[in-house]
Amino acid sequence: MKFLCTRCDEVMKLAGAQAGDDTVGLTFSCPKCGGSFAMLTNPAETTLVKGLGVQVGGRSEPAPLMEVIQSSVARDTENQITWDPGAETRLANVPPFARPMARKAIERFAESKGIRTITAAVMDEARALM
Ligand SMILES: [Zn+2]
């Protein structure tokens, strides 16, 4: 993903990133004209970004945006619960509009049980209580 300055067609550089509870805010600036803009994710997008755990575009230019998002998110969620691949696959079957809620509910359940890694079995357990 690249953002271009609409005035001079330059690739905008990431100038800052901030993670809140439910949002990730990113600031971009144009190296040529100094123009800037900010981007703010909504809670659903933030969950998506946090859930992706992927690096987009490898090591090439532009500055690895997803990594920046991830590291800023990581700082915010150091005690974060992890999802094993099986559980992620199961969660992907949940309709998109309900996914953030399901994720939060299952994470809350896991937290209350002191579980750090969510597996399909943990999801079963959580579902039995819901
Ligand atoms: Zn510009």
Side-chain angles (χ1 to χ4, degrees), residues 5-10 12 30-35:
C5 177
T6 51
R7 257 178 292 187
C8 33
D9 220 28
E10 280 289 306
M12 305 287 277
C30 170
K32 204 167 176 181
C33 72

Side-chain angles (χ1 to χ4, degrees), residues 48-120:
L48 178 77
V49 167
K50 288 181 180 179
L52 282 178
V54 288
Q55 295 176 1
V56 173
R59 295 277 145 196
S60 51
E61 279 280 294
L65 175 60
M66 292 308 286
E67 267 183 22
V68 174
I69 294 175
Q70 265 189 293
S71 63
S72 82
V73 166
R75 254 180 278 130
D76 184 44
T77 54
E78 257 162 28
N79 300 318
Q80 187 75 3
I81 285 163
T82 56
W83 289 66
D84 84 357
E88 286 285 4
T89 307
R90 281 271 286 274
L91 190 69
N93 293 329
V94 175
F97 67 89
R99 212 172 289 155
M101 235 171 61
R103 182 184 284 273
K104 268 210 172 107
I106 292 163
E107 286 181 353
R108 260 200 301 270
F109 167 81
E111 239 165 20
S112 73
K113 296 262 176 188
I115 297 168
R116 304 298 300 267
T117 305
I118 291 167
T119 61

